[in-house]
Amino acid sequence: QAAADPMPSSDAPEDGPKEPSSVSQNISDADAFKILLEMKMKKRQKKPTLPSTVTELGTEDGSKVYVVGTAHFSDSSKKDVVKTIQEVQPDVVVVELCQYRVSMLKMDEKTLLKEAKEINLEKLQQAIKQNGVMSGLMQMLLLKVSAHITEQLGMAPGGEFREAFKEASKVPFCKFHLGDRPIPVTFKRAIAALSFWQKVKLAWGLCFLSDPISKDDVEKCKQKDLLEQMMAEMIGEFPDLHRTIVSERDIYLTYMLKQAAKQTELPRASENEPRKYIPAVVVGVVGMGHVPGIEKNWNSDLNIQEIMSVPPPSASSKIFKFVIKATVFGLMGYGCYRIGQRTVQFILSMPAAQSYLQKLTEIRSQH
């Protein structure tokens, strides 16, 4: 910033080229690192003014974590994220995304809005190929829920994550981490937790979701995550599903935030400099529905190995998978049969075919 906006000098001539200062020519890497770090620390507020949606957590070594509870379809959440990052100048920003959803960081609002509304057979095939039949169907059904809200509100999800990505890039020496559990693991564990009839009931409810969203619901979006609220209402009768989709991810997000909150190493200009560590400042950007769970798990010893495993498919899953495949192949076979039947009838109705059949009949009668 100093290089882009140099301070005016009263001694400098109004016309003609200006000579670059000797300081800018001779500045070393060590000095550059020091200046950037000082700028960052100067901007970092000791008593930051934070939005009401921010929850402050701490670690034993003095690190601070500011968890911003957001609604995925809210402009006010974007502003909360920007303000928090600007105030605390973090060392790490952690967002509720995994590598399978990281593409939304690079897409603009118009592209994401279009993608969310266009759910087609190609997307379904890709989801099934990546995650299996059951998990792929579940992913597409949940995408349908998101697309329904997107269409009603005219706003693409994930705006707060894109704002976090942009703001983090403006903070010197700030790292950007993906903090959510991989989505295939979540879906496979969710499917394994349901019985055959629970899967049918959930799929039915998701398929026929079409209730309009009122202006009051839009305003509620700023107070609570509408997507998570709708999902909570649908999965409320399935405690195991709530455990895999919400509670287990609370644990995973807490674990990732605690990992990010370990003491951070100060940047070094060369390998010869001694390593220095200071308490870290972390900003976490997560859905509002996860904040209570993160607070609850913050002081617990966490082990994520158990919630990362994918159980083998149950008997009900195998039956459901067989039923789906049988239905698909049955419909394809019936379609082929109907097409073939009509084709044969069409050929037989042609004069040339009737003449040929008549000749065959005469030849047979002669023999």
Side-chain angles (χ1 to χ4, degrees), residues 6 22 31 68-69 75 81 103 112 142 150-151 169 187 189 222 230-232 240 264 282 321 324 330:
S22 58
D31 290 335
V68 188
D75 283 329
V81 169
S103 59
L112 280 165
L142 291 177
T150 297
E151 187 175 4
S169 66
F187 282 137
R189 286 184 63 84
K222 299 175 183 178
M230 292 177 71
M231 288 305 302
D240 291 332
T264 186
V282 178
K321 186 176 180 180
I324 290 174

Side-chain angles (χ1 to χ4, degrees), residues 74-92:
S74 171
D75 283 329
S76 60
S77 285
K78 297 180 191 177
K79 296 175 183 176
D80 290 351
V81 169
V82 171
K83 181 173 178 59
T84 303
I85 293 176
Q86 289 177 348
E87 286 281 311
V88 306
Q89 293 290 295
D91 303 301
V92 186

Side-chain angles (χ1 to χ4, degrees), residues 23 60 126 151 159 164 168 242 247 256 295 297 299 307 312 335 366:
V23 176
E60 293 179 356
Q126 186 178 359
E151 187 175 4
H242 184 275
S247 301
M256 296 302 289
E295 286 187 275
N297 293 304
N299 294 316
I307 62 172
Q366 289 175 1

Side-chain angles (χ1 to χ4, degrees), residues 2 45 171 186:
Q45 302 295 321
V171 179
T186 297

